[in-house]
Amino acid sequence: MNVLGIIASGVAALFITVALAKGARRAALRPHAPDEPGGRAPRAAALRRTGGATVVLGVGTAVGGALWLGAADGSAGSVAGLLAGAGIVAALGLVHDLKPFRAALRLPVQTAAAVLLVCLAGLSPAAGVLAVLWIVLVTNAFALLDHADGLLTTVGLVTAAGLLACAALGGDPALTLLPATLVAGLAGFLLHNWHPARLRLGASGAQFTGFALAASGALIQEAAPSGRAAWAALPVLATVALADTALVLISRRRAARSLLRDTDDHIAHRLRRVRVTVPGTAVLLGLWAAVPVTTATLVYAELLHPAFLLLPPAGSVAAVFVLLRIPAYTPPRTAPSRTASRRTAAPTTGAAIPSAASAPGVAGPAPGKGAPSGTARTAAGHPTVPPPPTGRSAAGVAAERS
């Protein structure tokens, strides 16, 4: 495939993605989008989640057009298998965006898509098994990065650029088609995905991006000339995604939490706890991804010794241990019980009961008088006469006294 064909495919992917994303953004930001019945999410939120479909359509249309024009030469089977597998996982992600289901149900479909790619690419059984395991692992690792504005788009853009350079240096230039169009598509989508994001990649765009990157790396490694350190250079390109996955698994294992239930314990969430802004998080992880990508590309080009490939993973392991020290799970706030609150609100001493001496017009016993205790007196000092008991008249009481 010539350079002009690659450039034309990239430009087509860029313009198609930008045009579709602009239309999806207008539809998502309409103020009259009502809530769906049955307590479902608003339509605007659903449209924002399905924004990754614009990347899928833009990249898929550009690659499909190049294949139809015969630009892939002898690698049409590999590129077609890559596009078909990525389209399958993207369709699965779109269903998940519209009606979420369990994450464990994605693995069979992702495995089937990877097997389809291996069969169409004509890989050997041993290489095919390793490629399937690698593709499923990296696809889910990159999909986990879609939890902050512009994060997955930035990391995917940097990784796709590294794969594009490796494919250009390899023995099969046709494998540069998908990385080139993916770079253009993610760049166009980043205009709407940067903080504050109007659109999100969602499960559809995230799984499509992860599958395309993982599958491109596997095919580039298979087509690499003998003598190149492709077996070690290409896996380094996924360092950031794998580091985030390892951080999440270790953190949830330590806290005895479910491994499949997504919470705020990723790299971006921990950076936010130390006052790093959302754009700053995307920039930091983009720079983090650029280090192993640059190192792997230089090693693949035989400009650096393969021993340098140990530096990015070692630095990522150290960064994971540092990030583990940042608390991710805040203890739940225990609200005081009603009984305790009532006990706290009640006075420590008994309730003040007013005595008869404190009543208006009634005075206490005069000092020095031998009045019995508890006997109320009038203002003149005479003891008060209690009222007659019930059922006895005043005449009967006077007769008894006489």
Side-chain angles (χ1 to χ4, degrees), residues 8-324:
S9 300
V11 171
L14 176 64
F15 278 98
I16 294 174
T17 303
V18 170
L20 293 177
K22 188 175 182 179
R25 175 181 175 178
R26 289 180 177 177
L29 296 181
R30 286 179 181 175
H32 60 274
D35 293 349
E36 295 183 0
R40 297 181 180 179
R43 294 181 182 179
L47 288 173
R48 292 189 185 99
R49 286 197 308 269
T50 57
T54 60
V55 179
V56 177
L57 293 175
V59 175
T61 302
V63 175
L67 289 176
W68 182 67
L69 294 175
D73 301 330
S75 299
S78 300
V79 178
L82 200 163
L83 183 60
I88 291 174
V89 298
L92 175 70
L94 184 60
V95 174
H96 177 73
D97 289 330
L98 298 176
K99 188 177 181 180
F101 52 85
R102 293 184 179 181
L105 299 178
R106 307 178 193 175
L107 296 180
V109 179
Q110 294 172 354
T111 304
V115 170
L116 176 63
L117 166 65
V118 168
C119 295
L120 293 178
L123 301 181
S124 61
V129 171
L130 293 177
V132 169
L133 295 177
W134 169 255
I135 290 172
V136 173
L137 173 63
V138 176
T139 299
N140 290 280
F142 271 97
L144 288 177
L145 289 177
D146 188 33
H147 55 265
D149 295 348
L151 181 57
L152 176 57
T153 311
T154 303
V155 175
L157 180 61
V158 174
T159 308
L163 289 172
L164 176 60
C166 293
L169 296 171
D172 195 350
L175 295 179
T176 60
L177 178 59
L178 189 60
T181 53
L182 189 60
V183 167
L186 291 177
F189 186 76
L190 188 60
L191 301 175
H192 306 278
N193 187 236
W194 193 253
H195 183 75
R198 271 68 176 181
L199 296 176
R200 290 181 53 193
L201 281 173
S204 177
Q207 293 191 52
F208 177 84
T209 302
F211 189 95
L213 293 174
S216 296
L219 294 179
I220 292 171
Q221 178 176 348
E222 183 67 19
S226 59
R228 294 188 184 271
W231 60 272
L234 294 179
V236 177
L237 298 175
T239 300
V240 174
L242 296 177
D244 182 73
T245 303
L247 174 67
V248 168
L249 293 179
I250 295 173
S251 179
R252 294 177 187 176
R253 181 67 177 176
R254 286 183 175 182
R257 290 174 174 261
S258 174
L259 300 179
L260 299 179
R261 186 176 181 180
D262 197 12
T263 53
D264 297 341
D265 52 2
H266 295 267
I267 294 178
H269 298 138
R270 297 172 189 267
L271 292 178
R272 290 289 295 143
R273 290 181 178 271
V274 292
R275 304 301 179 87
V276 180
T277 62
V278 176
T281 301
V283 171
L284 283 179
L285 266 70
L287 295 176
W288 185 352
V291 174
V293 165
T294 304
T295 305
T297 304
L298 294 177
V299 170
Y300 189 83
E302 299 180 344
L303 298 177
L304 285 179
H305 193 271
F308 283 92
L309 293 173
L310 298 176
L311 297 179
S316 298
V317 170
V320 167
F321 279 102
V322 172
L323 290 170
L324 283 173

